[in-house]
Amino acid sequence: MANTAQARKRARQAVTRNAHNSSQRSTLRTAIKNARKAIAAGDKVGAAEVFRNATSVIDRIADKKIIHKNKAARHKSRLAAALKALSA
């Protein structure tokens, strides 16, 4: 348990930040899942729109440093490749 006022405050802040970051990660996972579902459904136009939204969410989360920029790039690349394979 935290013994100093500073440590108690940092513990409170950690709980708040953890809750916020967890929520953001959940949003990210949902966006990726929705993009994968749209691609699997085979609707090229709808999947492209969902992909665009997912890309926006991925970039936003990476900018906040909740996930690493390389992980964001990897997710976007894989989704883009899946979308491109759907077109072919």
Side-chain angles (χ1 to χ4, degrees):
M1 185 62 201
N3 291 324
T4 64
Q6 178 186 9
R8 282 191 292 273
K9 180 177 179 180
R10 293 301 292 168
R12 284 195 310 273
Q13 288 175 331
V15 169
T16 305
R17 285 200 174 106
N18 182 280
H20 180 261
N21 290 345
S22 296
S23 167
Q24 294 291 305
R25 267 192 302 276
S26 176
T27 302
L28 170 76
R29 290 183 187 124
T30 302
I32 293 169
K33 196 181 302 179
N34 288 342
R36 292 208 179 279
K37 282 183 188 174
I39 291 168
D43 176 26
K44 182 179 168 186
V45 178
E49 180 63 31
V50 175
F51 170 72
R52 212 170 7 263
N53 293 338
T55 302
S56 173
V57 170
I58 292 168
D59 285 335
R60 216 167 38 242
I61 302 299
D63 285 343
K64 294 175 183 173
K65 298 190 173 140
I66 293 170
I67 62 168
H68 196 274
K69 61 181 175 140
N70 290 359
K71 182 174 182 176
R74 185 171 63 242
H75 280 302
K76 291 192 308 183
S77 174
R78 287 179 182 170
L79 287 174
L83 185 62
K84 186 175 181 184
L86 178 67
S87 301

